[in-house]
Amino acid sequence: MFFKKKEKEMKKLLAPVSGKLIAIEKVSDPVFAQKMMGDGFAIEPTSEQFYALADGKISAVFPSNHAYGITLDDGMEILVHIGLETVNENGKGFTCHVQLNDVVKAGDMIMEIDSAYLKEKYDLTTMVIFTNANAYEEFKVEYDSEVVGGKDTAASYR
């Protein structure tokens, strides 16, 4: 008798922001494109609202509000980094709706940005980085597709 090992189910991650999904390798910043901070994907945003990708706890909120981290209930750690070099604004153009250690549900509002102000100076491509590579076996993204932040699936992993 043969037994087939049960394959783990793919878990879904919501889009943190509305926009077009792109491969992390296409980001113009080499730190992200070369996956120095971890693997992941990017979104060219078309909206100003950012959401929780899944249920978890806010594990980081940078003082400049340009990035936030979420540790999911299964231990997956995700960094959402809004734009390139936006740290230089020291929080101007960003409104954060969460604090460190807040428990969030998938689709909860995390951050809002003033894209008109920020676009004048910065590329707002948003990186979604899996910072603990041991937490997953694989992830899938349908690149070049358009997603609605907080509603549509942006990626799945196991």
Side-chain angles (χ1 to χ4, degrees):
M1 187 175 242
F2 293 97
F3 294 97
K4 185 177 179 183
K5 185 179 176 186
K6 186 178 178 188
E7 209 172 270
K8 284 197 234 174
E9 276 187 45
M10 295 295 279
K11 298 177 183 180
K12 296 180 189 293
L13 296 174
L14 297 181
V17 63
S18 297
K20 181 180 175 184
L21 295 169
I22 61 171
I24 196 78
E25 296 87 352
K26 292 185 177 183
V27 173
S28 63
D29 184 317
V31 170
F32 294 109
Q34 294 172 18
K35 303 177 185 178
M36 291 180 204
M37 295 183 70
D39 207 348
F41 60 95
I43 299 177
E44 294 172 340
T46 57
S47 68
E48 298 185 325
Q49 294 80 31
F50 289 78
Y51 303 94
L53 295 89
D55 296 352
K57 183 188 271 190
I58 299 298
S59 53
V61 177
F62 288 72
S64 57
N65 290 333
H66 77 289
Y68 58 92
I70 299 178
T71 300
L72 306 187
D73 292 345
D74 65 3
M76 171 71 97
E77 297 170 359
I78 298 173
L79 174 70
V80 178
H81 191 284
I82 304 168
L84 301 174
E85 305 302 327
T86 52
V87 65
N88 296 330
E89 286 301 305
N90 294 315
K92 187 171 182 191
F94 296 88
T95 303
C96 186
H97 297 287
V98 295
Q99 294 180 348
L100 186 63
N101 295 320
D102 280 358
V103 174
V104 294
K105 294 287 184 193
D108 284 355
M109 172 90 62
I110 303 290
M111 184 88 60
E112 290 181 276
I113 64 168
D114 180 345
S115 61
Y117 169 76
L118 292 169
K119 273 187 198 176
E120 288 180 19
K121 301 177 185 180
Y122 305 102
D123 174 347
L124 294 181
T125 299
T126 296
M127 285 61 62
V128 178
I129 308 296
F130 306 128
T131 57
N132 60 338
N134 303 357
Y136 64 95
E137 295 171 20
E138 69 173 313
F139 74 92
K140 295 181 182 181
V141 179
E142 289 197 32
Y143 296 115
D144 299 320
S145 60
E146 295 285 333
V147 289
V148 175
K151 294 187 182 351
D152 292 343
T153 299
S156 54
Y157 70 96
R158 70 167 130 229

